[in-house]
Amino acid sequence: MLDNQQGLVFIDQYASRVTCYSSQYGHANGVSYTANNLVGPPSRFPAYGDFPETYVPRTYGPWWKESSIIFKGKNEVDQTGEDFIDVQFKKPVYPYCVNVYETYNSGCVRRLWAGDGQGNWKLFHENSVKQSLKQSQIFSPEPHHLQFLTSLIRIEIDSSFADYYPEVDAILLVGTETYPAPEESLKLSVLGLYAKVVGLGLHRLVPGFNTLESIQRLCFTDKLSQGVSVCHLSKLPEEILRVILALLDLRSLCSLACASSLFNKICKDSVLFTAVNLKPYWYCVNLPTLKWLGARSQCLQYLDLSWCGSYGKFSSSDFSWFIKQHGKRLRILRLENCSFLNNEALYSISTSCPYLQELNLRGCRDLESTAFWHLGKLHMMERLILDSTQIELPTLLVSLQSMASLSHLSLGGCQNLSLLGSLDEISRWLNRHRPGIVSLDFWRSGHLSNHGMEALVGLERLRELDIGWCGLPPNGNWISQLASRCRSLEKLFLTAARVVKDADLIAIAQYCPNLKQLDVLGNSYITSEGCSRVLDKCRKLRLLDVSYCCQIEAVHVANWRRIHPYVSIKRIFVSEED
Amino acid sequence: MHSVYGRLLSRSIVNGLYNCSSSSSSSGRTAVANATNENVSTKSIPKLVSAVAGFPKSFKSGKVRKGQIGDDAWLVKNVDSADVLAVADGVGGWRDYGVDPSDFSLSLLRSIERITSISNPCNFRNPVDLLSAAFRELLHSKRPITGSSTACILILEHESNNLFTVNIGDSGFLVVRKGQVVHKSEEQQHYFNTPFQLALPPPGHHGSALSDSPQSASQSQFAVQDGDVILLATDGVFDNVPQPVLVAELSKLGGVKDQLCVQQTANSIALMARNLSFDGRYMSPFAQRARDYGIRAVGGKPDDITVLLATVAI
């Protein structure tokens, strides 16, 4: 505890519990690279490196967004991070300072929020610097008092520009039990403002600059703008206006609607609301938002409600009401990390959205496994994303039966599929009934035996395959066979497969000219020879991860980087420390 | 040679001291906190006064890491609700395949350390789950870990004063009370000199290598008393020092709560095992057992030696 001269008592505390997170690199039952590692004081800071004792999100960089299969939604001016993590502290405080201990590829904290646990959030800090540092750091925004009693902090992590996986070790919250008296906080903020002005040298910019006068001018600008109220925009024909307005993001559209009655009318046009992405506004989406959207949603085809509705901000019946009323034309529905989802909500989706082609339920960990039975009614489904959910094998197979045009199936980190033989069964089923599948993700979802691999190599249309962290059969040249039969592969993740050999890489080089991303992390048999072959032959390659491949030396990588400047080659190697 | 020897010895003593002081001080702290916070509970919290000593079989391999003695690994860890002691003996045969045998044993114990520091206390009552989780964690390591190891874990749970144990292979423990062995581990062997082991063979060796599941480990529960002496050691000790000799040494420590005394006894057991292991004419317990299997053998068994010694203070 620290005391300052104002008589305020500052309490500093580390996270005591992780309540919610979007994704994690580690296994749900493990202790490496998992969200739970954020609890307590830092374990590795100030060391810098790839440490299993920290929290690591599942993705980094632009690689996961470059997939050619996933439909890209409407562009929002998006300050949202790629991932979020909510941590609970023991004692509620008025936050003054939040420290985030980053131990690898630092600089990924995008925003810090304070929550009340009932779905209300206040922004504590927003970081606009997008730069990844090669050293550990304590990310600590300038201290200020937030008049919001909280014991819940959400960090948004944006790793899209990071060179490799970012890692966070711990989170410290400093705050006071009482909010400082108004005059004190005013004094603090005026002093802070003054320091900022002087620090930036602003007071010297304009000779004879009168601070008071300029502030007054700022406050009463309406006098200045009188008489110049000519708006050329409103003179344009409505059709052209619509084309222009269609380019606006949601926030601008709402602002414009307030400008005049004309704009208000045009901005209500449902044609402008065919694709709505509410994820960037997760902190304020509630029932009135849904009602507001409902009034404009006659043409709604794409809806992203990811991250919304947590901590009871709106309920599953609110959502079900919306979907029943306005889901008829929906083709794409994204509901990542939506904790309000339940059996009723999935039932509403399955009965009200007959044309649904993509459903994304990634990270809905609390959704009970029985709810997935409703998926079977979605006959038009093409892309089904169920990562980190509780779906079970029988439910999945029955549901898939009705999805005749399924092209993308993502099942990464599904705990209930890790039972022996589940992945084999899915592979065999796909081989028999959906041989045209284009993209498949089994990341960390269990084991594949020889039977499973045999079925998998028969899926010859595959363009993207992620079997990272799946136990692969130790014998048999399955990867070579995969390469020789699935020749249109663009993305192949064999992370920690342990069985990849040079012969497999040579086969990949020979048969997969379109390969763009290859991850062979943790395969100790591969040597520089196989990798060189891949780099030489796969001219479209952009990502190659050879981390923890003990036969690949730094010299090789340096050489490759020189010869193949367009390939991002990752080689991380942290040996057990002494 | 001599200087390395001396440094190793003093290093292990320093490690032992460090561990003990940290463990006793933190449990001391919890005891104080308990006393001030709630006077209702008058039950005192047990703690272990522990020491580590040992010798690697050969000083040639250059790497010396904390928690490692040759191919053996050890762990002394104090968490809020329990004391954890563990040893693991990396199987040396992997060296012929270019695998460092200490990698597996040390990684296994480091996983245990991490799991015990994060997981909730109820796990301690089921140490087989702890062992399984640690073994699974090795599979989830980005760096490929191969090799195999025996393992023996003792957990003194503070709330119940119970010692929860799990053992796979030929490391083991003894609990001595008033000169008598009151509790000990069962040795698990497939056949002579081939203990049960947890294994992650390199791909391609899966059929040929022995690999036992963590579920095949034997577990036990035992209520300890004040003054009990616990010895946890790898086979380098039990194969060379006859049990009566060990018991005699341990009996001297009954009720001793001075860390230095515990350390001295640990050192002398380790040194005794070391000397006997290189005695070519000595009829070691190992040689006697070999004769039971019809193998004519004499002399000690040179091996890595790890001794974890602790007295219970309640």
Side-chain angles (χ1 to χ4, degrees), chain A residues 84-99:
Chain A
F84 73 85
I85 181 149
D86 293 354
V87 286
Q88 182 80 43
F89 296 83
K90 281 224 169 76
K91 202 172 260 183
V93 291
Y94 293 96
Y96 180 69
C97 175
V98 178
N99 287 355

Side-chain angles (χ1 to χ4, degrees), chain B residues 43-60:
Chain B
K43 201 177 144 202
S44 58
I45 287 171
K47 65 168 187 175
L48 289 181
V49 181
S50 60
V52 188
F55 296 94
K57 178 173 159 185
S58 147
F59 289 100
K60 276 186 196 135

Side-chain angles (χ1 to χ4, degrees), chain A residues 58 362 372 375 384-389 391-393 396-397 400 406 408-418 422-423 426-427 430 437 439-446 466 470:
Chain A
R58 178 173 168 189
R362 175 178 287 141
F372 291 98
L375 294 182
L384 188 58
I385 296 141
L386 300 171
D387 300 52
S388 305
T389 57
I391 189 150
E392 287 165 351
L393 182 66
L396 179 70
L397 291 183
L400 290 183
L406 189 78
H408 174 99
L409 180 61
S410 190
L411 298 167
C414 291
Q415 285 311 294
N416 292 341
L417 299 180
S418 62
S422 293
L423 292 192
I426 297 168
S427 305
L430 289 173
I437 195 158
S439 152
L440 192 56
D441 188 338
F442 281 161
W443 191 81
R444 272 196 208 275
S445 275
D466 190 337
C470 295

